[in-house]
Amino acid sequence: NAGVTQTPKFQVLKTGQSMTLQCAQDMNHEYMSWYRQDPGMGLRLIHYSVGAGITDQGEVPNGYNVSRSTTEDFPLRLLSAAPSQTSVYFCASSYYKSGGLGEQYFGPGTRLTVT
Amino acid sequence: AQTVTQSQPEMSVQEAETVTLSCTYDTSESDYYLFWYKQPPSRQMILVIRQEAYKQQNATENRFSVNFQKAAKSFSLKISDSQLGDAAMYFCAYTGAGSYQLTFGKGTKLSVIP
């Protein structure tokens, strides 16, 4: 099993450009999520999905779009990149057991710089 | 909204010694789950330990154990016999039973001194 994969590992964008961060998992997890990690801020939830066709907002959703057409894939789109979106982005997946989230499996992260 | 507080931005420990990282959380829920994650310099997030709030017994995983004080809303991580490979950022996290959201603290950077 590859687990959770993310591409690219590094990306530099100019302000106003758009791009998609890719995330895929091969563990048949229902739940997938995107976080951003900024220095001194921990990880903050951007968007999450509990299954194909079902997405919802997390703590910091502005400027990001998601969709989930398959169980395996959960891409994150930046429509018009801003310097405030410079961050490290993590994708994670887990089972959703009765009563709560299971162990989150994280991808290796994408370091995004917006100039 | 739930909040998770890690009051120690940085800590250090001598190799082979014991260190405790603190975490407090704020919630009105009675059923929830708490986690400690480790992030080494490689950036990969790794689950260290998971605690279910309805279980009185503190979770342990080899050299890692927690002190879960539900009434005090405290969830500290004890690392025994510290090793150089334990040097990392450690994040405490909370999710309510039935919730789809995981809330992280800001992290504690642990250094291990040889």
Side-chain angles (χ1 to χ4, degrees), chain B residues 16-30:
Chain B
E17 296 295 309
T18 295
V19 65
T20 298
L21 310 183
S22 62
C23 172
T24 58
Y25 55 94
D26 184 24
T27 184
S28 58
E29 297 173 308
S30 59

Side-chain angles (χ1 to χ4, degrees), chain A residues 9 31 35 37 40 42-43 45 48 50 57 90 96 99 101 103-104 106-109 111, chain B residues 33 35 37 39 42-45 47 50 91 95-102 104-106:
Chain A
K9 284 189 167 50
Y31 181 88
Y35 294 87
Q37 182 179 19
L43 278 75
L45 182 65
Y48 65 91
V50 298
Q57 297 179 351
F90 287 96
Y96 186 80
L101 292 173
E103 174 186 352
Q104 298 293 302
F106 285 84
R111 181 176 293 279
Chain B
Y33 302 86
F35 306 82
Y37 280 89
Q39 186 181 42
S42 67
R43 205 167 69 189
Q44 182 67 49
M45 294 286 289
L47 177 68
R50 179 177 188 256
F91 293 98
T95 185
S99 171
Y100 295 114
Q101 302 203 27
L102 191 60
F104 284 84
K106 295 183 178 181

